[in-house]
Amino acid sequence: MDSIQAKAMRIVLGAMKSSPINCMRVECVEPPLNLRRQFLSDKFLFRCIQFSNHILTPKLTCLASLIPNCSYWKNKRPPCLVESYRRFTYFEAPTHQATSNPLFKYSYDSLVISPDIHTSTGLVKIEQNQKLTFNYIVDTKWPQWHRIFTDASKHSKDSCVGVGVLHSNYNIVQKTKLPPESSVFTGECIGLVKAIEYILLLKLQKTVIFTDSLSSLNALARFPFGSHYQFPVISEIRNLLLKCIKENYYVPIVCMGSWSLWNIWKRESRSFSQ
């Protein structure tokens, strides 16, 4: 395949046979095929490795142990799947694995509920006295309700993800640190999980949760059976919300802009991620 790619690039560019392949790849904006093969291999492996009982895992373990002692592979690059498996074994951060699709772990009722999600509070970015306006809106829509703020942040690629949950009525702060490999999206979802678990623990009848992650709320509002991406943490949030419904706990989730009053609460989780 590499030789066919080289011939095709020479025809397209009108280059001579002595033209360097790397230069032609730059001109054609074509990556090497070995990178493409390795990318597809990594993608396939991570789809398989999410199941702890996948049939491919023991075979790759055996093959990865045999290749270093095999004379045939001494001067050759190992197969792409073996290389992908080695990368996974060197991955120090904990990974989520299940015996089956995580979607089947939860009840049908938790998957089809419609969470009470508000994607806007009515605040305007250029509005003056945002704190007073925010308090007026909350007191109008949710008078005398408990208020919980959640947030997650990450300063750099190698830093941990800090998750903060603030119960403003009692001034209680819960902090969680996630591995550097975690995304801010995962941190925002974990913040929602911690907030709902806190509500169930204290048996709060009426609580409104504020977050600045519109992506997590969109994933939560999306119908799970019609979505291409399935996040186990989103299913966990739905399962906790179902428990709140059964206990007659009212838990609306509101999205706030990160430019608003939200910056006051962000300091709690950001200081923890350092």
Side-chain angles (χ1 to χ4, degrees), residues 114-127:
S114 298
D116 187 7
I117 296 176
H118 303 262
T119 57
S120 177
T121 56
L123 285 175
V124 182
K125 187 173 183 179
I126 60 176
E127 186 175 359

Side-chain angles (χ1 to χ4, degrees), residues 90-105:
Y90 295 151
F91 197 61
E92 297 180 356
T95 56
H96 179 83
Q97 290 182 307
T99 56
S100 62
N101 193 321
L103 190 67
F104 303 129
K105 178 182 176 181

Side-chain angles (χ1 to χ4, degrees), residues 14 20 26 30-31 90 134 136 146 148 152 154 159 196 217 261 267:
V26 173
E30 284 289 337
Y90 295 151
F134 169 77
Y136 173 77
H146 292 273
I148 294 181
K154 185 175 183 178
S159 62
I196 302 174
L217 295 188
L261 174 66
R267 300 170 187 171

Side-chain angles (χ1 to χ4, degrees), residues 236-255:
E236 180 64 23
I237 295 174
R238 284 179 165 271
N239 186 51
L240 293 173
L241 288 176
L242 178 63
K243 293 181 180 180
C244 293
I245 293 175
K246 291 181 178 179
E247 297 292 338
N248 293 324
Y249 299 160
Y250 300 96
V251 187
I253 305 177
V254 182
C255 180

Side-chain angles (χ1 to χ4, degrees), residues 63-84:
L63 187 60
S65 62
L66 293 176
I67 284 181
N69 301 323
C70 182
S71 58
Y72 177 80
W73 295 101
K74 184 172 294 184
N75 298 321
K76 293 184 178 181
R77 181 178 297 177
C80 293
L81 269 179
V82 175
E83 184 64 25
S84 300

Side-chain angles (χ1 to χ4, degrees), residues 7 22 34 59 88 90 98 112 122 136 179 225 248 262:
K7 291 180 181 179
N22 291 335
N34 64 307
K59 297 182 182 298
F88 173 76
Y90 295 151
V112 298
Y136 173 77
F225 298 106
N248 293 324
W262 192 240

Side-chain angles (χ1 to χ4, degrees), residues 12 34 38 43 50 68 71-72 93 113 129-130 175 213 222-223:
V12 171
N34 64 307
Q38 191 63 54
K43 189 176 180 180
Q50 62 182 329
S71 58
Y72 177 80
I113 63 171
N129 300 323
Q130 291 181 0
K175 302 175 182 179
S213 176
R222 195 177 299 119
F223 189 61

